[in-house]
Amino acid sequence: AQKVTQAQTEISVVEKEDVTLDCVYETRDTTYYLFWYKQPPSGELVFLIRRNSFDEQNEISGRYSWNFQKSTSSFNFTITASQVVDSAVYFCALSEAYRDNYGQNFVFGPGTRLSVLP
Amino acid sequence: GAGVSQSPRYKVTKRGQDVALRCDPISGHVSLYWYRQALGQGPEFLTYFNYEAQQDKSGLPNDRFSAERPEGSISTLTIQRTEQRDSAMYRCASSYRRTAHNEQFFGPGTRLTVL
């Protein structure tokens, strides 16, 4: 069974600080996908990134960057020069596929609440 | 274009009543997912459909919960004989392709309160 752990329940930073949100996953599959979603105070879930298990290249998108390390089963998310608008709950998620009839599981972590103070 | 919509946005019901929650996915999206999100927790997978076929219902908590998507578009999640522990946000998501490996677009959710 797969599992996603986000050990940091809440993080507070001051604007312009860098912050890293940790995500550790467990899976027995060799093929899987990892995701990050953002849930701002308004409540919607917003997709940020998807990564497959065969691509360990780190990715940068503006102030966001992701560090995928298969050796430690981690997929950490860093926000550089944080802004108040980054305040939200961030969820890491894992999807692994069965090999028949598209059965699958999609598991979210418990989330990390990030507060960016002005 | 229009995103995923859900109705009602809020539902208050008495214990023992049946409720039906509706999800209208993005037009053309093949896959549709139902999740339940308790306060302060991440979404919990309930079930999903590819077109009209229910591919996986392993996350449904018990047989009071059922879902259908008869024409491969709109879906209904039904909870029979509601209990207070069913109170949560119920979220629907849709995806362009048939597997969860792709981006899922989430609806605003239905907040269910069982008194």
Side-chain angles (χ1 to χ4, degrees):
Chain A
Q2 75 259 51
K3 183 179 175 181
V4 176
T5 302
Q6 295 177 257
Q8 305 148 308
T9 306
E10 294 190 36
I11 301 176
S12 288
V13 298
V14 177
E15 208 171 17
K16 299 185 183 175
E17 286 185 1
D18 298 348
V19 58
T20 296
L21 309 182
D22 297 334
C23 173
V24 174
Y25 62 92
E26 293 178 30
T27 178
R28 287 179 292 185
D29 254 13
T30 55
T31 304
Y32 53 90
Y33 288 75
L34 296 162
F35 303 78
W36 276 94
Y37 279 84
K38 174 181 180 180
Q39 188 170 40
S42 51
E44 74 269 28
L45 276 160
V46 179
F47 168 84
L48 294 177
I49 191 172
R50 177 192 66 186
R51 215 74 185 130
N52 75 56
S53 52
F54 298 108
D55 183 1
E56 285 193 74
Q57 195 169 20
N58 290 333
E59 181 155 339
I60 298 174
S61 176
R63 297 184 296 106
Y64 295 171
S65 61
W66 291 269
N67 185 331
F68 178 26
Q69 299 267 349
K70 281 180 81 168
S71 60
T72 55
S73 296
S74 65
F75 185 45
N76 297 337
F77 173 32
T78 297
I79 302 175
T80 303
S82 59
Q83 300 176 1
V84 173
V85 294
D86 295 327
S87 297
V89 180
Y90 291 86
F91 293 101
C92 181
L94 165 69
S95 171
E96 53 183 33
Y98 307 148
R99 288 177 175 75
D100 58 341
N101 77 344
Y102 299 98
Q104 63 195 329
N105 261 308
F106 198 92
V107 176
F108 281 83
T112 296
R113 180 177 298 279
L114 173 65
S115 298
V116 181
L117 308 173
Chain B
V4 178
S5 61
Q6 293 185 245
S7 61
R9 293 291 309 276
Y10 302 91
K11 177 70 177 178
V12 180
T13 189
K14 291 184 178 178
R15 187 180 53 182
Q17 297 292 307
D18 297 351
V19 296
L21 312 180
R22 172 180 166 136
C23 172
D24 202 338
I26 293 173
S27 178
H29 277 199
V30 168
S31 297
L32 185 147
Y33 306 82
W34 282 100
Y35 295 87
R36 177 170 67 175
Q37 186 175 15
L39 205 59
Q41 297 183 23
E44 172 193 11
F45 171 80
L46 296 177
T47 185
Y48 97 100
F49 295 82
N50 282 335
Y51 301 102
E52 72 283 356
Q54 191 170 19
Q55 298 290 151
D56 185 348
K57 54 182 182 179
S58 61
L60 296 175
N62 51 61
D63 60 9
R64 295 186 297 106
F65 287 73
S66 62
E68 62 175 8
R69 194 187 184 198
E71 297 179 2
S73 179
I74 293 168
S75 177
T76 302
L77 176 70
T78 301
I79 309 173
Q80 296 179 309
R81 305 181 303 281
T82 52
E83 301 177 4
Q84 286 183 326
R85 59 178 172 155
D86 299 333
S87 297
M89 176 73 83
Y90 288 84
R91 295 192 183 273
C92 169
S94 70
S95 178
Y96 176 67
R97 296 190 181 182
R98 286 190 290 181
T99 69
H101 306 326
N102 301 284
E103 176 183 355
Q104 294 182 34
F105 294 84
F106 281 82
T110 295
R111 168 76 63 191
L112 174 66
T113 302
V114 182
L115 302 176

